[in-house]
Amino acid sequence: MSSERTDELTPLNIAILTISDTRGPAEDSSGQFLEDSVIEAGHQLISRRILPDDVYLVRAAMSSWIAQPDIHVVIITGGTGFHERDSTPEAVGPLLDKSIEGFGEEFRRQSAAEIGTSTIQSRAFGGLANHTAIFCLPGSTGACRTGWHGILNTQLDSRHGPCNFSELLGRKPSRAIERLHQVVGTRAVR
């Protein structure tokens, strides 16, 4: 992470994933809030999807985004609670190279001022995979506001000091995802 501030924002390419069994585009106020915030902050929205809370669908989408050289950040909303279908940590956790322990800790600290001890039920977390920052927030719009305004807005801003994620994310390997098909092929070999 850089300790140097810059005068101009270095825009990041960001993807947003909403995990929900019940929300469609019209009901996805959390995803819409994040999209609006990303664009307002001067970053580029590369993709936005809604998927059901299914470990393997989430892993497949995340693996694809992590491998893409033009995606620096993925913000996920939903699936971080304790209901039986909440499985974002189980889906995304195995894909991480490193955890960002402080993200979940800081989110819960800030959230406690809004929802009290109910914040202990949040399994919000962050991590890095292939130079892609991944931040997983609860599904409520209020939680997304807390996460964006309290943490992400500054940590994704290259002008923020003493450190931010911007420089680290700029080092993502530029190998193309199409290389997978060259190496693995399109069908299994016996």
Side-chain angles (χ1 to χ4, degrees):
M1 288 184 256
S2 175
S3 61
E4 296 181 25
R5 288 183 175 176
T6 62
D7 292 334
E8 292 184 32
L9 174 73
T10 302
L12 296 170
N13 296 332
I14 300 177
I16 296 169
L17 177 60
T18 298
I19 308 295
S20 177
D21 291 333
T22 59
R23 294 183 196 171
E27 300 84 22
D28 185 19
S29 59
S30 298
Q32 189 61 54
F33 168 79
L34 291 170
E35 177 179 336
D36 294 343
S37 298
V38 161
I39 293 168
E40 183 180 315
H43 300 295
Q44 300 294 316
L45 180 69
I46 297 298
S47 185
R48 179 175 165 200
R49 295 185 68 186
I50 300 173
L51 287 176
D53 204 331
D54 179 286
V55 169
Y56 301 102
L57 291 177
V58 172
R59 272 190 201 153
M62 290 299 299
S63 294
S64 174
W65 282 350
I66 290 166
Q68 291 182 32
D70 64 335
I71 295 180
H72 302 118
V73 178
V74 177
I75 304 172
I76 300 174
T77 176
T80 61
F82 279 98
H83 293 285
E84 63 183 40
R85 293 278 300 157
D86 289 332
S87 60
T88 298
E90 291 76 20
V92 177
L95 302 175
L96 300 178
D97 299 326
K98 295 182 182 207
S99 294
I100 304 170
E101 302 296 338
F103 177 76
E105 294 166 359
E106 180 62 10
F107 175 82
R108 284 181 285 280
R109 187 189 69 77
Q110 290 186 23
S111 179
E114 300 166 16
I115 63 170
T117 60
S118 293
T119 194
I120 67 167
Q121 293 190 30
S122 169
R123 297 189 299 154
F125 69 101
L128 295 171
N130 190 34
H131 295 276
T132 305
I134 300 164
F135 301 101
C136 301
L137 296 164
S140 76
T141 305
C144 290
R145 274 192 202 96
T146 299
W148 179 263
H149 291 302
I151 306 168
L152 296 176
N153 191 35
T154 55
Q155 284 300 300
L156 299 178
D157 190 327
S158 58
R159 301 167 293 188
H160 177 76
C163 60
N164 60 69
F165 285 104
S166 189
E167 180 183 317
L168 176 66
L169 303 176
R171 295 186 213 149
K172 189 165 184 174
S174 61
R175 60 184 173 258
I177 195 163
E178 290 80 23
R179 179 81 172 113
L180 174 67
H181 296 293
Q182 294 171 346
V183 174
V184 178
T186 57
R187 57 184 185 170
V189 178
R190 292 186 175 198

